[in-house]
Amino acid sequence: MLDRRLTVLETRFDTTLTMLPNKADLSELKAELKADIHGESAHLSKWMAATAITMLIGFGLGFGGMILTMMSRLHGA
């Protein structure tokens, strides 16, 4: 009876050990994560730059329009 229980436990232990990641698996995962993070960082930087440029253009057009409107009102008065 004890031998059978011991055999079952050993089998479970051996099965569990084969399912655990080893150093190579973890190293591969780390490399994949670094690549993913680098790609997302580059993508985010592009969006941030595009947003900043769009805001600057919008500010410039809005400010320019306001100045033109004020000048036309001053000259027309």
Side-chain angles (χ1 to χ4, degrees):
M1 175 105 168
L2 186 58
D3 288 339
R4 179 165 161 34
R5 290 178 70 187
L6 186 57
T7 303
V8 169
L9 287 175
E10 286 175 343
T11 304
R12 286 183 185 168
F13 183 72
D14 290 342
T15 303
T16 303
L17 281 180
T18 59
M19 293 177 5
L20 292 175
N22 57 26
K23 247 185 180 179
D25 293 336
L26 294 176
S27 178
E28 184 179 322
L29 179 62
K30 184 178 178 182
E32 288 177 17
L33 287 174
K34 276 187 175 183
D36 286 348
I37 289 172
H38 180 68
E40 288 299 319
S41 175
H43 184 72
L44 182 61
S45 295
K46 289 176 188 175
W47 272 103
M48 287 174 59
T51 302
I53 290 169
T54 302
M55 289 174 64
L56 289 173
I57 290 172
F59 177 75
L61 289 175
F63 197 68
M66 182 181 69
I67 289 175
L68 290 175
T69 302
M70 289 174 57
M71 288 177 65
S72 69
R73 296 287 180 182
L74 289 174
H75 288 294

